[in-house]
Amino acid sequence: SFELTRRHIQRHGPPQAVFVLGDQMASGVIAACVEAGLRVPEDVKIVGGAGLELARHTRPRLSVITQPMEAIGQQACQMIQEMIRRNIRRIEPRRVRGRFIVRESLPVPEPLLRRLEQRYPEMIERDPAAAEKP
């Protein structure tokens, strides 16, 4: 992700925002942006898609859309068991919702964040470390 981001910036200039499925890859994107003299989030906004502990320790801290792997695995097992019991090859998909953890790499304007929290209280989380900052 570091090298791909680096090449993209050299060829096309900086993107406005990047969504990266893995938090480790997102940290590589952050590093490539910093190396290119770009500021995150002022110049490039970045969101990770896993929600690993690593996301809390990047600089700036990585906003993430979590992937609740345990719940996804449980749903998958239940679906397979049901398919076996019913002797079918396909089943209706099920949704397992993650959370959007708002951190420094993707600032969300306060009025929008409050609306999101009201509409999706179980899905929006503010970075607790942000409240500790002076």
Side-chain angles (χ1 to χ4, degrees):
S1 62
F2 175 84
E3 193 55 41
L4 288 173
T5 303
R6 184 185 211 192
R7 278 188 265 157
H8 177 87
I9 292 169
Q10 289 170 350
R11 290 182 186 151
H12 308 287
Q16 291 182 358
V18 180
F19 175 74
V20 186
L21 287 177
D23 296 348
Q24 290 177 320
M25 290 187 293
S27 69
V29 172
I30 290 172
C33 288
V34 169
E35 179 185 273
L38 301 168
R39 298 166 300 154
V40 176
E42 293 86 351
D43 301 320
V44 180
K45 281 106 175 103
I46 301 173
V47 177
L52 302 175
E53 183 68 20
L54 163 74
R56 292 179 39 209
H57 302 289
T58 61
R59 290 295 171 250
R61 285 188 301 277
L62 184 62
S63 295
V64 294
I65 298 173
T66 65
Q67 301 298 311
M69 299 309 271
E70 186 174 325
I72 291 170
Q74 289 172 346
Q75 286 290 329
C77 285
Q78 289 172 5
M79 291 169 75
I80 291 169
Q81 290 171 341
E82 186 176 336
M83 289 167 66
I84 292 168
R85 264 194 318 275
R86 293 173 50 196
N87 195 28
I88 58 175
R89 295 183 65 161
R90 294 188 185 272
I91 194 166
E92 279 293 313
R94 297 179 188 172
R95 181 179 297 182
V96 178
R97 291 190 173 175
R99 290 184 340 259
F100 176 40
I101 303 175
V102 180
R103 295 192 178 108
E104 298 166 337
S105 71
L106 179 73
V108 178
E110 188 61 33
L112 175 58
L113 187 55
R114 281 195 301 269
R115 279 186 289 177
L116 290 171
E117 288 172 328
Q118 288 172 353
R119 184 159 185 184
Y120 307 103
E122 71 286 351
M123 294 176 60
I124 306 296
E125 179 181 324
R126 292 177 189 242
D127 180 11
E132 300 167 7
K133 290 176 73 175

